[in-house]
Amino acid sequence: MMSQALDNKLAVNLSSGNSVDRSLPFRMLTWLLIVSIIMLFAAFTSAYIVRRSEGNWQEFAFPQGLLWNTIVIVLSSVTMQLAYFAAKKDNFGALKVTLFLTFALGIVFLAGQWFVWEDLVAIKIFFGGNNANPSGSFIYVLTGVHGFHLITGLVFLLIVLVSTFNFKVHSKKMLSLELCTTYWHFLGALWVYLYVFLTIFK
């Protein structure tokens, strides 16, 4: 009888959600990815400062597009957070619109990066070759690697967007949107950090 009572209690606990949190591995993977990216860019920016102190460092005015890109990615973080709030309220119309806007702003950001690179080439700032300078090469690396990670964020966002249209994202099923929101905010914060860093140490 005691054994049966314990089994019944365990069944109740499992059905009420008191089991092992199955979302934990996904949360850990997301944060491990974020920490690894932080370490990568910490290494890049440290190398930037060290190389700059060694001389032979060309200073130039950054294209205005970097500022516009900063505004765009901050706006995308706002729309991403609005999408999260909409999902919490099961407001599916607002959820779809804000996720789509976030995705569109991400595309605009990447296009803006391309135009920034074109502006750099126009003022003879190259990634490599005989006419390249380490200062310009670092700009391409920092913005390019960030752009690559933003593409991974867009893929993640697209998956969540498709799930939303299939009604697989709602107030009772928030994990994918929560992790996507966390990763997207991180990418936005990382870009703001890079913009401030490059403005100070240009």
Side-chain angles (χ1 to χ4, degrees):
M1 293 294 292
M2 183 176 294
S3 176
Q4 184 178 359
L6 289 173
D7 290 342
N8 291 337
K9 184 176 181 180
L10 177 59
V12 170
N13 286 338
L14 289 173
S15 63
S16 64
N18 293 330
S19 58
V20 175
D21 185 2
R22 294 181 180 179
S23 68
L24 184 59
F26 298 102
R27 296 181 193 277
M28 288 185 63
L29 284 173
T30 301
W31 282 105
L32 281 174
L33 174 62
I34 289 174
V35 170
S36 66
I37 296 173
I38 290 174
M39 293 175 66
L40 176 65
F41 277 91
F44 280 152
T45 51
S46 297
Y48 182 103
I49 294 173
V50 171
R51 180 61 188 82
R52 182 173 180 268
S53 67
E54 294 176 352
N56 186 28
W57 190 265
Q58 181 181 359
E59 294 192 2
F60 54 91
F62 290 139
Q64 190 69 17
L66 286 176
L67 174 59
W68 289 115
N69 271 357
T70 303
I71 295 172
V72 167
I73 204 166
V74 169
L75 287 175
S76 74
S77 274
V78 173
T79 56
M80 191 71 203
Q81 191 61 40
L82 290 175
Y84 181 83
F85 290 151
K88 294 280 283 187
K89 297 178 180 178
D90 286 330
N91 187 342
F92 298 111
L95 174 60
K96 293 173 184 177
V97 169
T98 48
L99 282 179
F100 180 80
L101 284 174
T102 304
F103 187 85
L105 287 169
I107 296 296
V108 170
F109 177 88
L110 290 177
Q113 283 299 92
W114 182 264
F115 291 131
V116 165
W117 291 344
E118 287 188 340
D119 289 342
L120 289 173
V121 171
I123 60 174
K124 309 301 182 184
I125 303 298
F126 303 106
F127 172 72
N130 295 331
N131 296 323
N133 184 271
S135 62
S137 300
F138 267 106
I139 299 298
Y140 284 103
V141 169
L142 290 172
T143 57
V145 175
H146 179 273
F148 168 77
H149 287 100
L150 193 89
I151 292 173
T152 65
L154 285 173
V155 172
F156 193 0
L157 183 57
L158 184 61
I159 293 171
V160 173
L161 185 58
V162 171
S163 297
T164 299
F165 276 90
N166 292 326
F167 299 100
K168 294 181 180 179
V169 177
H170 46 77
S171 60
K172 303 297 183 183
K173 196 173 183 181
M174 295 283 295
L175 180 62
S176 60
L177 179 60
E178 178 186 337
L179 296 181
C180 187
T181 302
T182 299
Y183 187 53
W184 195 263
H185 285 333
F186 164 71
L187 292 174
L190 177 61
W191 176 259
V192 172
Y193 160 74
L194 288 176
Y195 179 76
V196 173
F197 174 86
L198 292 173
T199 301
I200 295 174
F201 296 101
K202 64 182 179 180

